[in-house]
Amino acid sequence: MLEVLEEIGRDRDSGGYVRDAWSPADLELREWFKGEAARRGLDLDVDRNGNLWAWWGDPAAGPGVVTGSHLDSVRQGGPFDGPLGVVSAFAAIDLMRERGLTPGRPLAVVCFTDEEGARFGVPCIGSRLLTGVLDPERARGLRDDEGDTMADVLRRAGRDPMALGRDDETLARVGVFVELHVEQGRGLVGKGAPVGVASSIWPHGRWRFDFQGTADHAGTTRLHDRDDPMLPFARAVLTARVAAERHGVLATFGKVRVWPGNANAIPGRVSAWLDARGAGERAVRALVSELTLGSGATVSEESWTPVVDFDVPLRDKVAGLLGDAPILPTGAGHDAGILASAGVPSAMLFVRNPTGVSHSPAEHADADDCRAGVTALSSVLEALCT
Ligand code: GLV
Ligand code: MN
Ligand code: MN
């Protein structure tokens, strides 16, 4: 399955993946998901927010056990972030069937829509809409880089944007959620275990900084006459680094838009997006306030995800089933965190990543470790289904 997916949305020059939500690549991935469900005789359901569910057994007989992840990608991402969880979910079902098992509860594979937020800026859109933490009106109005709203994009994909919103019926079917994911750090390296279990997700958020200036000619405007928004932006980047070290958190400006974008003109505006995360919410908030106050920019919070502490009895049960697998926190956001915050008992399995690199084409997991992930996931599902 991973070999089939390798070809979808791949930038042939860089080897990275570009799989924005509802792009042709994403639509192809969604068709792939439907095909895998059909091949296994699973019943497909597309919920009002566009999340895909493939059910083994009648969901009405639930609440069921759900596993899966997402198929969209950050721009120029790697092959495992998201797809590994979906592929492993289907493979775990295959393994359970090979063993002659029939689940005592309905079991589903889910593919959440737009986990990365690469297109509209807000991460975990499918699970946030499902659980009601993202206002559907706000979601419909979010714009992509082309200026198209999510409502426009959904309509073009044949979906009804007015259907977006909290979905109690779908949510009630999810008794427990287990997401398998490639590890996005080196926490498992050196621990002698290919699979670990998540304890928590750091609080994290994204903020948009708009620096206003005055566009003018690069060759004729004297330095002291300039109102160049690139300068406060550059200061903010350096300040963020120093403040992050002082507060013991992480701060990243990974996306910048410069208007109008001429090499021979002082820009009129710079917009930049700050991603800030850390073990402690207060420290993250302190960094963002400090940067906001000193930057001279207009700052808006585009998303905030509070700390997630995964259900401890479930976590311990899962780790125990896997022979006391290592338990570790992560700084990466996941749909499992959104579901956990909405009260759905949730757990995560991480598959060892030898370099720790992720959100990059260099992301990697060894085939043997991926297989160990499938075996681990199938044991966990088997235990949860009985
Ligand atoms: C999701 O991958 C994130 O940005 O944490
Ligand atoms: Mn990711
Ligand atoms: Mn992911």
Side-chain angles (χ1 to χ4, degrees):
M1 284 183 271
L2 282 172
E3 273 169 20
V4 172
L5 294 182
E6 243 173 50
E7 296 308 314
I8 306 177
R10 175 133 151 258
D11 177 332
R12 303 218 167 265
D13 296 328
S14 66
Y17 289 89
V18 182
R19 295 165 166 172
D20 280 18
W22 307 108
S23 64
D26 189 43
L27 295 178
E28 202 179 326
L29 290 160
R30 298 168 74 85
E31 286 309 307
W32 171 86
F33 183 97
K34 292 177 188 175
E36 292 302 310
R39 233 156 51 74
R40 293 172 174 80
L42 307 175
D43 294 323
L44 187 88
D45 181 49
V46 186
D47 71 21
R48 47 194 284 192
N49 298 301
N51 303 308
L52 304 171
W53 308 77
W55 285 98
W56 182 9
D58 180 4
V65 176
V66 179
T67 183
S69 190
H70 62 96
L71 292 173
D72 66 303
S73 173
V74 291
R75 297 186 180 153
Q76 301 297 338
F80 297 100
D81 178 356
L84 185 63
V86 177
V87 163
S88 300
F90 283 123
I93 285 185
D94 295 344
L95 206 53
M96 290 169 77
R97 287 178 169 176
E98 275 168 32
R99 290 198 210 119
L101 297 167
T102 314
R105 298 168 71 178
L107 172 61
V109 179
V110 66
C111 169
F112 283 110
T113 295
D114 201 351
E115 191 269 356
E116 299 287 2
R119 184 163 193 170
F120 297 105
V122 177
C124 297
I125 284 183
S127 55
R128 277 183 213 271
L129 284 167
L130 168 72
T131 55
V133 284
L134 175 60
D135 172 30
E137 196 51 43
R138 180 175 170 228
R140 281 188 282 273
L142 291 171
R143 286 181 191 276
D144 66 13
D145 291 343
E146 308 305 314
D148 291 331
T149 63
M150 188 188 293
D152 297 331
V153 168
L154 287 173
R155 253 184 240 108
R156 281 205 298 269
R159 308 234 9 119
D160 175 12
M162 295 316 289
L164 296 183
R166 186 179 162 94
D167 185 346
D168 287 312
E169 199 186 326
T170 301
L171 205 49
R173 295 172 164 187
V174 190
V176 55
F177 178 52
V178 183
E179 179 169 1
L180 176 146
H181 205 279
V182 66
E183 209 212 329
Q184 297 175 287
R186 290 169 43 82
L188 287 171
V189 175
K191 291 226 162 60
V195 179
V197 179
S199 55
S200 61
I201 298 179
W202 281 3
H204 57 283
R206 297 184 190 180
W207 292 262
R208 174 180 169 142
F209 283 59
D210 288 308
F211 299 88
Q212 200 58 47
T214 308
D216 211 332
H217 198 292
T220 60
T221 316
R222 290 179 303 177
L223 289 178
H224 71 263
D225 287 340
R226 294 177 182 214
D227 175 18
D228 183 350
M230 198 59 96
L231 299 182
F233 164 59
R235 260 194 299 275
V237 174
L238 298 174
T239 306
R241 174 59 189 248
V242 173
E245 277 169 19
R246 188 160 23 82
H247 289 286
V249 300
L250 302 176
T252 309
F253 279 104
K255 177 175 164 181
V256 188
R257 292 282 178 268
V258 180
W259 277 273
N262 295 307
N264 56 353
I266 298 155
R269 176 159 53 103
V270 173
S271 294
W273 283 261
L274 170 75
D275 177 306
R277 318 183 185 210
E281 176 169 334
R282 273 173 57 185
V284 176
R285 288 285 185 192
L287 167 121
V288 175
S289 317
E290 218 173 284
L291 275 181
T292 302
L293 288 173
S295 67
T298 306
V299 180
S300 51
E301 182 173 294
E302 296 205 329
S303 67
W304 171 252
T305 311
V307 66
V308 175
D309 287 309
F310 285 109
D311 185 285
V312 173
L314 177 62
R315 177 199 86 183
D316 289 347
K317 176 176 172 167
V318 169
L321 283 166
L322 306 182
D324 283 329
I327 295 176
L328 60 166
T330 179
H334 300 285
D335 295 302
I338 305 295
L339 264 63
S341 297
V344 177
S346 302
M348 290 196 74
L349 302 186
F350 291 135
V351 172
R352 182 165 54 194
N353 174 338
T355 60
V357 172
S358 188
H359 284 185
S360 147
E363 176 184 77
H364 182 70
D366 288 338
D368 283 346
D369 288 359
C370 293
R371 278 187 214 104
V374 172
T375 307
L377 182 61
S378 69
S379 327
V380 171
L381 297 177
E382 183 187 332
L384 293 174
C385 279
T386 46

